[in-house]
Amino acid sequence: MLPPTPPPVVQNLPVPHPDAVARLLEAYDWGHPLPPAPDLKGPEALRYQWLLAAATFRAGALPADPFPPGPDHREAEALRGLLRPVPKDLARGLAHLPLRLPGTALALWRWGQVQVRHGAFTPALRRAWEDRLLAEGPPLTRGYALRHALCWALAEHDETRFARLKAARQPLAEGTFDLFQRLFGLLGGPSPVLRLWSLPGLAYQDLRLDQLGAHRVWICPAPSGPLPALPRDVAWIIPSDGGSQDPSSATLGAPSLDEGQALARRLAAAGRRAFFAPSRADMERTGLVWFPALVVLDHQGFLKDIRMGDAAPERP
């Protein structure tokens, strides 16, 4: 009898620096665990370490600068000089900040998000921060900045800002401007009709947003934990996780039916009501694709404000 064949020896092959950066950014974008550190040497290892620090530093802290004196060190220190209480000359600092390294752009994005959320930026500073990120950096952070800028332009009814962003012809925005163009077109007019299923009853209706019984509409996925407590004047639309439902169908098919039934049980147990939107295509038709989104209606039921995605409040 022959002895068993030993398993092959698997060697950890070196990962090229660009591939290692792409893997880390992809994991960050999807919210997945970050990949193990690759076997890099010299400056590439330090630049990856800077990127990892940018992806993981806590709010109120600074990403550690791993570089010896030189251009990379000067860039990291210029960035670290900005990530402090917002300086009076922030706009000037942003204009002169180099963004050669992906880690610098990611750290600037993450820090600025917190400043916007906490109201530390004026509108002018917010736009300067967005514009700096749009000008340089990896496609991921440039795409984040474009989405952020468009969401805020919509929230502020700033058609001039929208037009300037569109004229810049960002190469990352295929179809994105069309979505926002539809939303700008909805402001001041009647709501589009959506095919919704009531919760917990799971009966379908074609309804405008002003027919949901509230002058504010919160469009947000259901959390995995306790259901949020919403004000009485807010109607809740829960978009599907998968969004695969045929928008023309009046019958829920799998997997939307399973998802709807699970939501119905949760809302019934909590004594709550909401609406289920199982078709992503139906939502895309209106342009409502980044959640949460808060839609405010005027006294006529027309769309007064749309605060979506990066410009949406944390709670309605």
Side-chain angles (χ1 to χ4, degrees), residues 247-305:
S248 65
S249 176
T251 303
L252 284 177
S256 298
L257 178 59
D258 294 338
E259 185 180 1
Q261 289 175 335
L263 287 170
R265 288 192 293 269
R266 293 183 64 194
L267 269 81
R272 302 283 297 282
R273 299 180 60 189
F275 298 90
F276 178 46
S279 171
R280 179 174 177 84
D282 203 25
M283 302 297 288
E284 287 179 342
R285 178 177 53 83
T286 68
L288 293 165
V289 294
W290 281 296
F291 310 120
L294 178 65
V295 179
V296 181
L297 309 173
D298 66 15
H299 66 283
Q300 295 178 291
F302 290 173
L303 272 68
K304 180 181 178 182
D305 292 304

Short mmCIF file of all heavy atoms in Angstrom, two decimals, residues 247-305:
data_model
loop_
_atom_site.label_atom_id
_atom_site.label_comp_id
_atom_site.label_asym_id
_atom_site.label_seq_id
_atom_site.Cartn_x
_atom_site.Cartn_y
_atom_site.Cartn_z
N PRO A 247 -41.36 45.06 -11.34
CA PRO A 247 -42.18 46.21 -10.94
C PRO A 247 -43.58 46.20 -11.52
O PRO A 247 -44.46 46.91 -11.02
CB PRO A 247 -41.38 47.41 -11.46
CG PRO A 247 -40.53 46.87 -12.55
CD PRO A 247 -40.20 45.46 -12.15
N SER A 248 -43.82 45.39 -12.54
CA SER A 248 -45.16 45.34 -13.13
C SER A 248 -46.03 44.26 -12.51
O SER A 248 -47.23 44.16 -12.82
CB SER A 248 -45.05 45.09 -14.64
OG SER A 248 -44.49 43.81 -14.91
N SER A 249 -45.46 43.43 -11.63
CA SER A 249 -46.21 42.31 -11.07
C SER A 249 -46.99 42.75 -9.83
O SER A 249 -46.50 43.52 -9.00
CB SER A 249 -45.26 41.17 -10.70
OG SER A 249 -45.97 40.12 -10.07
N ALA A 250 -48.22 42.23 -9.72
CA ALA A 250 -49.04 42.50 -8.55
C ALA A 250 -48.95 41.37 -7.52
O ALA A 250 -49.65 41.40 -6.50
CB ALA A 250 -50.50 42.68 -8.96
N THR A 251 -48.08 40.41 -7.75
CA THR A 251 -47.91 39.27 -6.86
C THR A 251 -46.44 39.17 -6.46
O THR A 251 -45.56 39.19 -7.32
CB THR A 251 -48.33 37.95 -7.53
OG1 THR A 251 -49.69 38.08 -7.96
CG2 THR A 251 -48.20 36.78 -6.56
N LEU A 252 -46.20 39.08 -5.18
CA LEU A 252 -44.83 38.93 -4.71
C LEU A 252 -44.31 37.54 -5.04
O LEU A 252 -44.94 36.53 -4.72
CB LEU A 252 -44.75 39.16 -3.20
CG LEU A 252 -44.84 40.59 -2.68
CD1 LEU A 252 -44.82 40.60 -1.16
CD2 LEU A 252 -43.70 41.44 -3.22
N GLY A 253 -43.15 37.50 -5.68
CA GLY A 253 -42.51 36.22 -5.96
C GLY A 253 -41.29 36.06 -5.07
O GLY A 253 -40.81 37.00 -4.46
N ALA A 254 -40.77 34.82 -5.05
CA ALA A 254 -39.55 34.58 -4.28
C ALA A 254 -38.39 35.29 -4.96
O ALA A 254 -38.35 35.37 -6.18
CB ALA A 254 -39.29 33.08 -4.20
N PRO A 255 -37.44 35.86 -4.16
CA PRO A 255 -37.34 35.84 -2.70
C PRO A 255 -38.05 37.03 -2.02
O PRO A 255 -38.00 37.16 -0.81
CB PRO A 255 -35.83 35.93 -2.47
CG PRO A 255 -35.36 36.78 -3.60
CD PRO A 255 -36.21 36.42 -4.79
N SER A 256 -38.70 37.89 -2.82
CA SER A 256 -39.36 39.06 -2.22
C SER A 256 -40.47 38.66 -1.26
O SER A 256 -40.70 39.32 -0.25
CB SER A 256 -39.92 39.96 -3.32
OG SER A 256 -38.89 40.44 -4.15
N LEU A 257 -41.18 37.57 -1.58
CA LEU A 257 -42.27 37.12 -0.71
C LEU A 257 -41.72 36.73 0.66
O LEU A 257 -42.29 37.12 1.69
CB LEU A 257 -42.99 35.95 -1.34
CG LEU A 257 -44.13 35.35 -0.52
CD1 LEU A 257 -45.20 36.39 -0.22
CD2 LEU A 257 -44.74 34.14 -1.24
N ASP A 258 -40.63 35.96 0.69
CA ASP A 258 -40.04 35.57 1.97
C ASP A 258 -39.61 36.80 2.76
O ASP A 258 -39.82 36.89 3.98
CB ASP A 258 -38.84 34.66 1.73
CG ASP A 258 -39.23 33.33 1.13
OD1 ASP A 258 -40.41 32.94 1.28
OD2 ASP A 258 -38.37 32.69 0.52
N GLU A 259 -39.00 37.76 2.07
CA GLU A 259 -38.55 38.98 2.75
C GLU A 259 -39.73 39.77 3.29
O GLU A 259 -39.72 40.25 4.43
CB GLU A 259 -37.74 39.84 1.77
CG GLU A 259 -37.11 41.06 2.40
CD GLU A 259 -36.32 41.90 1.41
OE1 GLU A 259 -36.26 41.53 0.21
OE2 GLU A 259 -35.76 42.93 1.82
N GLY A 260 -40.79 39.90 2.48
CA GLY A 260 -41.96 40.63 2.92
C GLY A 260 -42.66 39.97 4.10
O GLY A 260 -43.11 40.64 5.02
N GLN A 261 -42.75 38.65 4.07
CA GLN A 261 -43.39 37.94 5.18
C GLN A 261 -42.59 38.09 6.47
O GLN A 261 -43.17 38.25 7.55
CB GLN A 261 -43.57 36.47 4.82
CG GLN A 261 -44.63 36.23 3.75
CD GLN A 261 -44.71 34.78 3.30
OE1 GLN A 261 -43.73 34.02 3.41
NE2 GLN A 261 -45.86 34.37 2.79
N ALA A 262 -41.26 38.04 6.37
CA ALA A 262 -40.43 38.23 7.56
C ALA A 262 -40.62 39.63 8.14
O ALA A 262 -40.72 39.81 9.36
CB ALA A 262 -38.97 37.98 7.21
N LEU A 263 -40.68 40.63 7.27
CA LEU A 263 -40.93 41.99 7.74
C LEU A 263 -42.31 42.11 8.36
O LEU A 263 -42.49 42.78 9.39
CB LEU A 263 -40.79 42.98 6.58
CG LEU A 263 -39.37 43.26 6.09
CD1 LEU A 263 -39.41 44.04 4.78
CD2 LEU A 263 -38.57 44.03 7.14
N ALA A 264 -43.30 41.47 7.75
CA ALA A 264 -44.67 41.54 8.27
C ALA A 264 -44.75 40.98 9.68
O ALA A 264 -45.42 41.54 10.55
CB ALA A 264 -45.61 40.79 7.33
N ARG A 265 -44.05 39.88 9.92
CA ARG A 265 -44.08 39.29 11.26
C ARG A 265 -43.44 40.23 12.28
O ARG A 265 -43.96 40.40 13.39
CB ARG A 265 -43.35 37.94 11.25
CG ARG A 265 -44.10 36.83 10.52
CD ARG A 265 -43.47 35.47 10.79
NE ARG A 265 -42.13 35.37 10.19
CZ ARG A 265 -41.89 34.91 8.96
NH1 ARG A 265 -42.91 34.53 8.18
NH2 ARG A 265 -40.66 34.82 8.50
N ARG A 266 -42.34 40.86 11.89
CA ARG A 266 -41.67 41.78 12.82
C ARG A 266 -42.54 42.99 13.14
O ARG A 266 -42.64 43.41 14.29
CB ARG A 266 -40.33 42.23 12.22
CG ARG A 266 -39.29 41.15 12.09
CD ARG A 266 -37.99 41.73 11.56
NE ARG A 266 -37.40 42.68 12.49
CZ ARG A 266 -36.42 43.51 12.18
NH1 ARG A 266 -35.93 43.52 10.96
NH2 ARG A 266 -35.93 44.34 13.09
N LEU A 267 -43.16 43.56 12.12
CA LEU A 267 -43.98 44.75 12.35
C LEU A 267 -45.26 44.41 13.11
O LEU A 267 -45.71 45.19 13.96
CB LEU A 267 -44.29 45.45 11.03
CG LEU A 267 -43.23 46.52 10.68
CD1 LEU A 267 -42.00 45.90 10.05
CD2 LEU A 267 -43.79 47.61 9.79
N ALA A 268 -45.83 43.24 12.83
CA ALA A 268 -47.04 42.83 13.56
C ALA A 268 -46.71 42.64 15.04
O ALA A 268 -47.48 43.06 15.92
CB ALA A 268 -47.60 41.55 12.96
N ALA A 269 -45.57 42.02 15.33
CA ALA A 269 -45.19 41.79 16.72
C ALA A 269 -44.94 43.10 17.45
O ALA A 269 -45.19 43.21 18.66
CB ALA A 269 -43.94 40.91 16.77
N ALA A 270 -44.49 44.12 16.72
CA ALA A 270 -44.21 45.42 17.34
C ALA A 270 -45.40 46.36 17.29
O ALA A 270 -45.33 47.48 17.80
CB ALA A 270 -43.01 46.08 16.65
N GLY A 271 -46.50 45.92 16.67
CA GLY A 271 -47.66 46.79 16.54
C GLY A 271 -47.40 48.00 15.65
O GLY A 271 -47.93 49.08 15.90
N ARG A 272 -46.60 47.82 14.62
CA ARG A 272 -46.18 48.92 13.76
C ARG A 272 -46.71 48.72 12.35
O ARG A 272 -47.05 47.61 11.93
CB ARG A 272 -44.65 49.00 13.73
CG ARG A 272 -44.00 49.19 15.10
CD ARG A 272 -44.14 50.62 15.55
NE ARG A 272 -43.41 51.48 14.61
CZ ARG A 272 -42.08 51.62 14.60
NH1 ARG A 272 -41.35 50.99 15.50
NH2 ARG A 272 -41.50 52.42 13.74
N ARG A 273 -46.72 49.84 11.59
CA ARG A 273 -47.13 49.79 10.19
C ARG A 273 -46.03 50.40 9.33
O ARG A 273 -45.29 51.30 9.77
CB ARG A 273 -48.44 50.55 9.97
CG ARG A 273 -49.61 49.98 10.74
CD ARG A 273 -50.86 50.80 10.47
NE ARG A 273 -51.22 50.80 9.06
CZ ARG A 273 -52.16 51.57 8.52
NH1 ARG A 273 -52.83 52.43 9.27
NH2 ARG A 273 -52.43 51.50 7.23
N ALA A 274 -45.93 49.94 8.10
CA ALA A 274 -44.96 50.48 7.15
C ALA A 274 -45.38 50.03 5.76
O ALA A 274 -46.46 49.44 5.57
CB ALA A 274 -43.54 50.02 7.48
N PHE A 275 -44.54 50.31 4.79
CA PHE A 275 -44.77 49.88 3.41
C PHE A 275 -43.50 49.22 2.90
O PHE A 275 -42.38 49.66 3.22
CB PHE A 275 -45.14 51.07 2.52
CG PHE A 275 -46.42 51.75 2.92
CD1 PHE A 275 -46.39 52.81 3.82
CD2 PHE A 275 -47.64 51.35 2.40
CE1 PHE A 275 -47.56 53.44 4.21
CE2 PHE A 275 -48.81 51.98 2.79
CZ PHE A 275 -48.78 53.03 3.69
N PHE A 276 -43.67 48.17 2.11
CA PHE A 276 -42.56 47.40 1.57
C PHE A 276 -42.42 47.71 0.09
O PHE A 276 -43.40 47.62 -0.67
CB PHE A 276 -42.82 45.91 1.80
CG PHE A 276 -41.79 44.97 1.26
CD1 PHE A 276 -40.44 45.19 1.44
CD2 PHE A 276 -42.18 43.82 0.57
CE1 PHE A 276 -39.48 44.30 0.95
CE2 PHE A 276 -41.25 42.92 0.07
CZ PHE A 276 -39.89 43.16 0.27
N ALA A 277 -41.20 48.09 -0.33
CA ALA A 277 -40.91 48.38 -1.74
C ALA A 277 -39.97 47.29 -2.25
O ALA A 277 -38.76 47.38 -2.07
CB ALA A 277 -40.27 49.76 -1.88
N PRO A 278 -40.51 46.25 -2.89
CA PRO A 278 -39.67 45.10 -3.25
C PRO A 278 -38.91 45.23 -4.56
O PRO A 278 -38.10 44.37 -4.88
CB PRO A 278 -40.69 43.96 -3.34
CG PRO A 278 -41.94 44.63 -3.80
CD PRO A 278 -41.93 46.00 -3.17
N SER A 279 -39.18 46.28 -5.34
CA SER A 279 -38.57 46.40 -6.66
C SER A 279 -37.55 47.53 -6.69
O SER A 279 -37.91 48.71 -6.58
CB SER A 279 -39.65 46.65 -7.73
OG SER A 279 -39.05 46.97 -8.97
N ARG A 280 -36.30 47.19 -6.88
CA ARG A 280 -35.27 48.23 -7.04
C ARG A 280 -35.50 49.02 -8.32
O ARG A 280 -35.29 50.23 -8.35
CB ARG A 280 -33.88 47.60 -7.05
CG ARG A 280 -32.76 48.63 -7.23
CD ARG A 280 -31.38 48.03 -7.10
NE ARG A 280 -30.36 49.03 -7.36
CZ ARG A 280 -29.90 49.89 -6.46
NH1 ARG A 280 -30.38 49.87 -5.23
NH2 ARG A 280 -28.97 50.77 -6.77
N ALA A 281 -35.96 48.34 -9.37
CA ALA A 281 -36.21 49.04 -10.63
C ALA A 281 -37.25 50.13 -10.46
O ALA A 281 -37.16 51.21 -11.07
CB ALA A 281 -36.65 48.04 -11.70
N ASP A 282 -38.27 49.88 -9.64
CA ASP A 282 -39.31 50.89 -9.40
C ASP A 282 -38.73 52.10 -8.68
O ASP A 282 -39.08 53.24 -8.99
CB ASP A 282 -40.42 50.25 -8.56
CG ASP A 282 -41.76 50.97 -8.72
OD1 ASP A 282 -41.97 51.62 -9.77
OD2 ASP A 282 -42.59 50.87 -7.81
N MET A 283 -37.82 51.87 -7.72
CA MET A 283 -37.19 52.98 -7.03
C MET A 283 -36.23 53.73 -7.94
O MET A 283 -36.16 54.97 -7.92
CB MET A 283 -36.43 52.48 -5.79
CG MET A 283 -37.28 51.72 -4.79
SD MET A 283 -38.59 52.72 -4.05
CE MET A 283 -37.63 53.78 -2.98
N GLU A 284 -35.48 53.01 -8.77
CA GLU A 284 -34.55 53.65 -9.69
C GLU A 284 -35.27 54.54 -10.70
O GLU A 284 -34.72 55.54 -11.17
CB GLU A 284 -33.72 52.60 -10.42
CG GLU A 284 -32.67 51.94 -9.56
CD GLU A 284 -31.88 50.89 -10.31
OE1 GLU A 284 -32.35 50.44 -11.39
OE2 GLU A 284 -30.79 50.51 -9.83
N ARG A 285 -36.49 54.16 -11.03
CA ARG A 285 -37.26 54.98 -11.98
C ARG A 285 -37.46 56.39 -11.46
O ARG A 285 -37.52 57.36 -12.22
CB ARG A 285 -38.62 54.29 -12.22
CG ARG A 285 -39.57 55.03 -13.14
CD ARG A 285 -40.83 54.21 -13.35
NE ARG A 285 -41.45 53.80 -12.10
CZ ARG A 285 -42.26 54.56 -11.39
NH1 ARG A 285 -42.55 55.81 -11.78
NH2 ARG A 285 -42.81 54.11 -10.27
N THR A 286 -37.53 56.54 -10.15
CA THR A 286 -37.68 57.87 -9.56
C THR A 286 -36.33 58.52 -9.24
O THR A 286 -36.25 59.73 -9.07
CB THR A 286 -38.47 57.79 -8.23
OG1 THR A 286 -37.68 57.10 -7.26
CG2 THR A 286 -39.79 57.05 -8.43
N GLY A 287 -35.27 57.71 -9.13
CA GLY A 287 -33.97 58.21 -8.73
C GLY A 287 -33.65 57.96 -7.27
O GLY A 287 -32.56 58.27 -6.81
N LEU A 288 -34.57 57.40 -6.52
CA LEU A 288 -34.37 57.15 -5.09
C LEU A 288 -33.63 55.82 -4.91
O LEU A 288 -34.23 54.76 -4.87
CB LEU A 288 -35.71 57.11 -4.37
CG LEU A 288 -36.47 58.44 -4.32
CD1 LEU A 288 -37.93 58.23 -3.92
CD2 LEU A 288 -35.80 59.40 -3.35
N VAL A 289 -32.30 55.92 -4.80
CA VAL A 289 -31.50 54.69 -4.76
C VAL A 289 -30.51 54.65 -3.61
O VAL A 289 -29.92 53.60 -3.36
CB VAL A 289 -30.74 54.50 -6.09
CG1 VAL A 289 -31.71 54.25 -7.23
CG2 VAL A 289 -29.84 55.68 -6.40
N TRP A 290 -30.27 55.77 -2.91
CA TRP A 290 -29.36 55.76 -1.77
C TRP A 290 -30.15 56.03 -0.51
O TRP A 290 -30.91 56.99 -0.42
CB TRP A 290 -28.25 56.81 -1.95
CG TRP A 290 -27.18 56.33 -2.88
CD1 TRP A 290 -26.34 55.28 -2.70
CD2 TRP A 290 -26.83 56.91 -4.15
NE1 TRP A 290 -25.49 55.15 -3.78
CE2 TRP A 290 -25.77 56.14 -4.68
CE3 TRP A 290 -27.30 58.00 -4.89
CZ2 TRP A 290 -25.18 56.42 -5.91
CZ3 TRP A 290 -26.72 58.27 -6.12
CH2 TRP A 290 -25.68 57.48 -6.62
N PHE A 291 -29.96 55.15 0.47
CA PHE A 291 -30.75 55.21 1.69
C PHE A 291 -29.84 55.42 2.89
O PHE A 291 -28.67 55.02 2.86
CB PHE A 291 -31.56 53.93 1.84
CG PHE A 291 -32.34 53.58 0.60
CD1 PHE A 291 -32.11 52.37 -0.05
CD2 PHE A 291 -33.25 54.46 0.06
CE1 PHE A 291 -32.81 52.04 -1.20
CE2 PHE A 291 -33.95 54.15 -1.10
CZ PHE A 291 -33.73 52.94 -1.72
N PRO A 292 -30.38 56.07 3.94
CA PRO A 292 -31.77 56.50 4.05
C PRO A 292 -32.07 57.71 3.19
O PRO A 292 -31.17 58.40 2.73
CB PRO A 292 -31.89 56.85 5.54
CG PRO A 292 -30.51 57.28 5.92
CD PRO A 292 -29.58 56.40 5.14
N ALA A 293 -33.37 57.95 2.98
CA ALA A 293 -33.82 59.14 2.27
C ALA A 293 -35.04 59.69 2.99
O ALA A 293 -35.94 58.92 3.39
CB ALA A 293 -34.18 58.81 0.82
N LEU A 294 -35.06 60.99 3.17
CA LEU A 294 -36.20 61.67 3.78
C LEU A 294 -36.83 62.58 2.74
O LEU A 294 -36.16 63.47 2.21
CB LEU A 294 -35.77 62.49 5.00
CG LEU A 294 -36.89 63.28 5.69
CD1 LEU A 294 -37.93 62.34 6.31
CD2 LEU A 294 -36.32 64.22 6.75
N VAL A 295 -38.10 62.33 2.44
CA VAL A 295 -38.85 63.15 1.48
C VAL A 295 -39.88 63.95 2.26
O VAL A 295 -40.66 63.39 3.04
CB VAL A 295 -39.54 62.27 0.43
CG1 VAL A 295 -40.33 63.14 -0.56
CG2 VAL A 295 -38.52 61.42 -0.32
N VAL A 296 -39.85 65.27 2.08
CA VAL A 296 -40.77 66.17 2.77
C VAL A 296 -41.76 66.71 1.75
O VAL A 296 -41.37 67.18 0.67
CB VAL A 296 -40.01 67.33 3.45
CG1 VAL A 296 -40.99 68.25 4.18
CG2 VAL A 296 -38.98 66.78 4.42
N LEU A 297 -43.05 66.65 2.10
CA LEU A 297 -44.12 67.11 1.22
C LEU A 297 -44.66 68.44 1.71
O LEU A 297 -44.69 68.71 2.92
CB LEU A 297 -45.25 66.07 1.17
CG LEU A 297 -44.81 64.63 0.85
CD1 LEU A 297 -46.00 63.69 1.02
CD2 LEU A 297 -44.25 64.53 -0.55
N ASP A 298 -45.10 69.29 0.80
CA ASP A 298 -45.71 70.56 1.20
C ASP A 298 -47.20 70.36 1.46
O ASP A 298 -47.72 69.23 1.41
CB ASP A 298 -45.44 71.66 0.17
CG ASP A 298 -46.12 71.40 -1.17
OD1 ASP A 298 -47.04 70.54 -1.25
OD2 ASP A 298 -45.75 72.07 -2.16
N HIS A 299 -47.92 71.46 1.74
CA HIS A 299 -49.34 71.34 2.12
C HIS A 299 -50.20 70.84 0.97
O HIS A 299 -51.32 70.37 1.19
CB HIS A 299 -49.86 72.70 2.62
CG HIS A 299 -49.90 73.76 1.57
ND1 HIS A 299 -48.77 74.43 1.14
CD2 HIS A 299 -50.94 74.26 0.84
CE1 HIS A 299 -49.11 75.31 0.21
NE2 HIS A 299 -50.41 75.22 0.00
N GLN A 300 -49.70 70.92 -0.27
CA GLN A 300 -50.43 70.39 -1.41
C GLN A 300 -50.08 68.94 -1.71
O GLN A 300 -50.66 68.33 -2.61
CB GLN A 300 -50.15 71.23 -2.65
CG GLN A 300 -50.65 72.67 -2.59
CD GLN A 300 -50.27 73.43 -3.84
OE1 GLN A 300 -49.10 73.72 -4.10
NE2 GLN A 300 -51.27 73.73 -4.65
N GLY A 301 -49.14 68.40 -0.98
CA GLY A 301 -48.69 67.03 -1.25
C GLY A 301 -47.58 66.96 -2.29
O GLY A 301 -47.20 65.87 -2.71
N PHE A 302 -47.05 68.12 -2.72
CA PHE A 302 -45.97 68.14 -3.68
C PHE A 302 -44.63 67.94 -2.96
O PHE A 302 -44.51 68.21 -1.76
CB PHE A 302 -45.95 69.45 -4.46
CG PHE A 302 -47.10 69.61 -5.42
CD1 PHE A 302 -47.29 70.81 -6.09
CD2 PHE A 302 -48.00 68.59 -5.66
CE1 PHE A 302 -48.34 70.98 -6.97
CE2 PHE A 302 -49.06 68.74 -6.53
CZ PHE A 302 -49.24 69.94 -7.19
N LEU A 303 -43.62 67.51 -3.72
CA LEU A 303 -42.32 67.22 -3.12
C LEU A 303 -41.58 68.53 -2.83
O LEU A 303 -41.22 69.27 -3.74
CB LEU A 303 -41.48 66.34 -4.05
CG LEU A 303 -41.70 64.83 -3.88
CD1 LEU A 303 -43.09 64.42 -4.31
CD2 LEU A 303 -40.67 64.04 -4.67
N LYS A 304 -41.37 68.78 -1.55
CA LYS A 304 -40.70 70.00 -1.12
C LYS A 304 -39.20 69.81 -0.98
O LYS A 304 -38.41 70.66 -1.42
CB LYS A 304 -41.29 70.45 0.22
CG LYS A 304 -40.68 71.72 0.79
CD LYS A 304 -41.34 72.06 2.13
CE LYS A 304 -40.72 73.31 2.75
NZ LYS A 304 -41.32 73.60 4.08
N ASP A 305 -38.78 68.73 -0.34
CA ASP A 305 -37.36 68.46 -0.12
C ASP A 305 -37.10 66.97 -0.27
O ASP A 305 -37.94 66.13 0.08
CB ASP A 305 -36.92 68.88 1.29
CG ASP A 305 -36.93 70.39 1.48
OD1 ASP A 305 -36.27 71.09 0.71
OD2 ASP A 305 -37.62 70.85 2.41
#
